[in-house]
């Protein structure tokens, strides 16, 4: 089944404790992206990647890091989480190029930072 | 920068009736793509329908259709014969057709929460 898999789905952590949210897709998509969803704000892009070793900032990159060492994986790293990073996080992927390529989303990761 | 506005934070509809969700967007571009995504209580983001701006014909997917008014920058979603399973948060989203990494992102509205009453 074609899908984007995120882990963990739920996580409660404390301020300053480094964590990684993994994301993997099995569709051979070039483009991958992370979004965060907050009440009343919709979804906002954190980082994106157009292919292996090519990443760039989205609209709200502060406090996050990413890497793209393999085409299928795009982990989101919070080096020193803070309470304002409490949010619902989505990883998404799509083909890269012209056309209305549809973003396929993972199931979401609910993160709480105390 | 493009913006997407959903002016109805909440809507409700009776089962089997029709409801229309509003979406307007602001852009200076002439070519772009528009999407409606559904987010049920499971939180999964599910594509409902998409529209290419260069196409005049409104997109339709079963009970879901759009009214795309390019000059007015309006992209409303009509749900016919509403079902209990249609209850969800609905997001309108815009994507530029200009090539380039930063243009490839989806810009989302803040969402409309749809309740379906039995």
């Amino acid at each position: 089944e074609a899908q984007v898999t995120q882990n963990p789905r739920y996580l409660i952590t404390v301020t300053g404790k480094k964590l990684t949210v993994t994301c993997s897709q099995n569709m051979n998509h070039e483009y991958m992206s992370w979004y965060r969803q907050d009440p009343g704000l919709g979804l906002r892009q954190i980082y994106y990647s157009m292919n292996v070793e090519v990443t760039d900032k989205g609209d709200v990159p502060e406090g996050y890091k990413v890497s793209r060492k393999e085409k299928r994986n795009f982990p989101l790293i919070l080096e020193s989480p803070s309470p304002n990073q409490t949010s619902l996080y989505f990883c998404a992927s799509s083909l890269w190029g012209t056309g209305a390529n549809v973003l396929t989303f993972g199931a979401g990761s609910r993160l709480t930072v105390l | 920068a493009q913006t997407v506005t959903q002016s109805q934070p909440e809507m409700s509809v009776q089962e089997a009736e029709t409801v229309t969700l509003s979406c307007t967007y602001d852009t200076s571009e002439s070519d772009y793509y528009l999407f409606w995504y559904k987010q049920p209580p499971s939180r999964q983001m599910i594509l409902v329908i998409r529209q290419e701006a260069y196409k005049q014909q409104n997109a339709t997917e079963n009970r879901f259709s759009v009214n795309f008014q390019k000059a007015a920058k309006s992209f409303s979603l009509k749900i016919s014969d509403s079902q209990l399973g249609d209850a969800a948060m609905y997001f309108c989203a815009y994507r530029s057709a200009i090539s380039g990494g930063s243009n490839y992102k989806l810009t989302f509205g803040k969402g409309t929460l749809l309740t379906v009453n039995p």
Side-chain angles (χ1 to χ4, degrees):
Chain A
E1 179 188 354
Q3 60 185 355
V4 178
T5 303
Q6 296 178 227
N7 282 297
R9 294 288 312 281
Y10 301 89
L11 179 63
I12 301 174
T13 189
V14 296
T15 299
K17 185 176 182 181
K18 180 179 177 180
L19 68 93
T20 299
V21 186
T22 64
C23 174
S24 181
Q25 50 93 6
N26 62 1
M27 297 166 281
N28 202 34
H29 285 167
E30 298 89 359
Y31 182 83
M32 298 186 74
S33 183
W34 278 100
Y35 288 80
R36 61 177 287 174
Q37 181 181 0
D38 302 290
L41 295 178
L43 284 80
R44 295 175 293 166
Q45 190 185 55
I46 303 170
Y47 267 95
Y48 65 92
S49 169
M50 293 178 286
N51 215 323
V52 175
E53 302 293 1
V54 182
T55 64
D56 206 347
K57 298 177 181 178
D59 295 323
V60 288
E62 295 78 19
Y64 304 95
K65 287 175 56 178
V66 294
S67 68
R68 188 92 180 272
K69 295 185 173 63
E70 303 167 287
K71 194 172 186 179
R72 64 183 293 127
N73 296 324
F74 190 46
L76 180 70
I77 303 157
L78 286 73
E79 293 268 359
S80 182
S82 62
N84 65 12
Q85 293 179 297
T86 293
S87 188
L88 177 60
Y89 291 88
F90 286 99
C91 181
S93 73
S94 76
L95 293 171
W96 170 256
T98 58
N101 296 317
V102 174
L103 266 183
T104 300
F105 284 82
S109 296
R110 169 73 70 186
L111 171 65
T112 301
V113 183
L114 302 176
Chain B
Q2 294 79 21
T3 58
V4 176
T5 302
Q6 294 179 248
S7 59
Q8 307 151 316
E10 297 184 23
M11 293 278 287
S12 64
V13 63
Q14 291 296 124
E15 198 175 1
E17 295 191 345
T18 296
V19 64
T20 298
L21 308 184
S22 301
C23 172
T24 59
Y25 56 94
D26 186 26
T27 184
S28 59
E29 299 171 350
S30 59
D31 199 14
Y32 46 87
Y33 309 101
L34 297 165
F35 306 84
W36 278 98
Y37 277 88
K38 170 185 177 180
Q39 186 179 46
S42 66
R43 304 180 324 204
Q44 181 73 47
M45 293 290 288
I46 302 165
L47 178 71
V48 175
I49 202 164
R50 61 182 164 181
Q51 174 82 42
E52 291 90 339
Y54 64 86
K55 290 185 177 178
Q56 293 187 339
Q57 186 172 6
N58 289 324
T60 299
E61 288 287 344
N62 301 312
R63 297 183 294 108
F64 298 87
S65 61
V66 297
N67 183 6
F68 173 49
Q69 301 287 329
K70 191 172 184 180
K73 297 179 183 175
S74 172
F75 183 60
S76 60
L77 175 69
K78 185 171 85 170
I79 306 174
S80 303
D81 186 25
S82 297
Q83 301 176 0
L84 294 177
D86 295 334
M89 181 73 85
Y90 286 82
F91 291 98
C92 179
Y94 170 103
R95 182 165 75 77
S96 171
I98 297 175
S99 62
S102 63
N103 294 317
Y104 214 69
K105 72 176 182 184
L106 285 178
T107 299
F108 286 88
K110 295 180 179 180
T112 296
L113 181 62
L114 178 66
T115 302
V116 181
N117 300 310

